[in-house]
């Protein structure tokens, strides 16, 4: 093994542009929502075995789902947070919704959710610092 001077190579996370707390990897709210949708779809296809509260559930020939960001459901139709679609059309519909999110169609809804999430995170950091 090479003799590496690890002490000169490490740095605190706060000095990283990629992993800095509050940076969320530089992801926009729409990108983070799309990533969450991908994870929910993978969990659904695997039978939701390791999911505490699944956002996609199939019952009979219908699938119930919600699209979430910062622990809140997006109001895809402007008023409702949960939806039901025919099971055979689910992935096509879900993909179209994801494309709309990535295209920015829900940015006006995501912006206040993102602000609220960042504020909550800042309060948690402040509370943790106050305990030290």
């Amino acid at each position: 093994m090479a003799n590496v001077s690890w002490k000169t190579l490490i740095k605190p996370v706060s000095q990283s542009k990629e992993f800095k707390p509050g940076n969320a990897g530089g992801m926009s709210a729409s990108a983070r929502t799309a990533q969450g949708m991908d994870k929910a779809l993978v969990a659904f296809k695997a039978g939701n075995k390791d999911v505490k509260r699944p956002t996609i559930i199939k019952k009979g020939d219908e699938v119930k789902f919600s699209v979430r960001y910062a622990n809140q459901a997006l109001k895809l139709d402007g008023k409702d947070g949960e939806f039901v679609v025919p099971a055979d059309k689910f992935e096509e519909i879900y993909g179209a919704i994801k494309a709309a999110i990535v295209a920015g169609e829900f940015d006006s809804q995501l912006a206040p959710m993102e602000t609220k999430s960042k504020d909550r995170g800042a309060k948690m950091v402040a509370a943790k610092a106050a305990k030290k």
Side-chain angles (χ1 to χ4, degrees), residues 79-95:
K79 59 184 180 200
D80 298 304
E82 287 189 307
F83 303 91
V84 176
V85 297
D88 62 340
K89 299 283 186 197
F90 168 70
E91 286 195 52
E92 181 180 354
I93 293 166
Y94 200 68

Side-chain angles (χ1 to χ4, degrees), residues 22-39:
N23 187 20
M27 286 182 128
S28 67
S30 56
R32 184 164 295 287
T33 303
Q35 182 183 55
M37 290 178 75
D38 290 342
K39 288 179 181 180

Side-chain angles (χ1 to χ4, degrees), residues 39-117:
K39 288 179 181 180
L41 186 58
V42 167
F44 170 69
K45 288 181 175 183
N48 288 325
K49 291 178 245 151
D50 300 322
V51 179
K52 189 185 282 187
R53 287 176 279 173
T55 58
I56 306 170
I57 301 168
K58 182 179 180 197
K59 204 177 218 182
D61 61 348
E62 291 185 320
V63 174
K64 177 179 85 166
F65 71 98
S66 62
V67 175
R68 304 184 73 77
Y69 176 77
N71 207 25
Q72 293 181 314
L74 286 176
K75 310 288 188 207
L76 301 177
D77 64 355
K79 59 184 180 200
D80 298 304
E82 287 189 307
F83 303 91
V84 176
V85 297
D88 62 340
K89 299 283 186 197
F90 168 70
E91 286 195 52
E92 181 180 354
I93 293 166
Y94 200 68
I97 293 166
K98 179 182 166 192
I101 289 168
V102 171
E105 291 182 35
F106 293 92
D107 284 357
S108 63
Q109 225 181 116
L110 289 167
M113 293 173 156
E114 182 177 32
T115 299
K116 186 176 176 181
S117 177

